[in-house]
Amino acid sequence: MPTQLKMAVDTMIRTFHRCSRKEGNRFKLSKGELKLLLQPELTEFLSCQKDPQLVDKIMQDLDTNKDNKVDFNEFVVIVAALTVACNDYFVEQLKKKGK
Amino acid sequence: MPTQLKMAVDTMIRTFHRCSRKEGNRFKLSKGELKLLLQPELTEFLSCQKDPQLVDKIMQDLDTNKDNKVDFNEFVVIVAALTVACNDYFVEQLKKKGK
């Protein structure tokens, strides 16, 4: 039976490739593909965040070499940063509740 | 409805805290807790890997300050490294198949 962590890893890989195969380089996200991938995720994650430019700002930060491509390693860095931010919030809530 | 990526992030956070709450510091993994977390995951991931010392070696690498504790950020680094390794393997297989 697959472990929970393995399923999380599988999901990250599948999510990336489901978008990266749509156009251009099969193994990299174009700016359009990245937006397609991130927008529903960020809407869910950051529902209290109302900045309409947020996704554009994230893409500008990621696309450091200005080639409009994001590879898998860069994608994992985004997911890791989101995971740490979510955990910080979760721990803060636990501490407020005195758990 | 939760997105797939959000579920992956949730899984990483839950997996960490399910083990970290067992003993000592509520928000850090002791060496024993880390072993408890990693062993089934690595068995699944690295089923072709027969080195019985593998988990001990990973723990030695992670525990850089020798306090027998791993915090959430260090845990995310492990998961990110495993994810990149799995993706490299997946991409290699796809390329072999000419996809």
Side-chain angles (χ1 to χ4, degrees), chain B residues 17-34:
Chain B
H17 290 281
R18 197 181 60 233
C19 292
S20 74
R21 69 159 61 98
K22 287 194 185 293
E23 60 178 24
N25 188 322
R26 165 77 184 79
F27 300 108
K28 290 187 178 184
L29 294 171
S30 69
K31 207 162 185 172
E33 288 167 339
L34 180 66

Side-chain angles (χ1 to χ4, degrees), chain A residues 3-5 17-18 41 87, chain B residues 3-5 17 41 87:
Chain A
T3 63
Q4 286 197 312
L5 210 53
H17 290 281
R18 196 181 61 233
E41 303 292 344
N87 182 66
Chain B
T3 65
Q4 285 196 314
L5 210 53
H17 290 281
E41 304 291 344
N87 182 67

Side-chain angles (χ1 to χ4, degrees), chain A residues 23-40:
Chain A
E23 62 178 22
N25 188 322
R26 165 76 183 78
F27 301 108
K28 290 186 179 185
L29 294 171
S30 68
K31 206 162 186 171
E33 289 168 338
L34 180 65
K35 196 162 187 169
L36 193 70
L37 187 157
L38 280 185
Q39 268 184 334

Side-chain angles (χ1 to χ4, degrees), chain A residues 1-9 11-13 15-18 26-27 37-38 40-41 44-45 72-73 75-76 79-84 86-88 90-91 94-95 99, chain B residues 1-9 11-13 15-18 26-27 37-38 40-41 44-45 72-73 75-76 79-84 86-88 90-91 94-95 99:
Chain A
M1 198 176 95
T3 63
Q4 286 197 312
L5 210 53
K6 181 175 179 298
M7 286 192 284
V9 168
T11 298
M12 286 186 269
I13 294 173
T15 301
F16 179 89
H17 290 281
R18 196 181 61 233
R26 165 76 183 78
F27 301 108
L37 187 157
L38 280 185
E41 303 292 344
E44 181 76 28
F45 272 123
F72 188 79
N73 294 12
F75 168 70
V76 168
V79 178
L82 281 172
T83 306
V84 167
C86 288
N87 182 66
D88 286 348
F90 175 67
V91 167
L94 277 181
K95 286 182 176 173
K99 283 186 179 174
Chain B
M1 198 175 95
T3 65
Q4 285 196 314
L5 210 53
K6 181 177 180 293
M7 287 191 284
V9 168
T11 298
M12 287 187 268
I13 294 173
T15 301
F16 180 88
H17 290 281
R18 197 181 60 233
R26 165 77 184 79
F27 300 108
L37 186 157
L38 280 185
E41 304 291 344
E44 181 76 29
F45 272 122
F72 188 79
N73 294 12
F75 168 71
V76 169
V79 178
L82 282 171
T83 305
V84 167
C86 288
N87 182 67
D88 287 348
F90 175 67
V91 167
L94 277 181
K95 286 182 175 173
K99 284 186 179 175

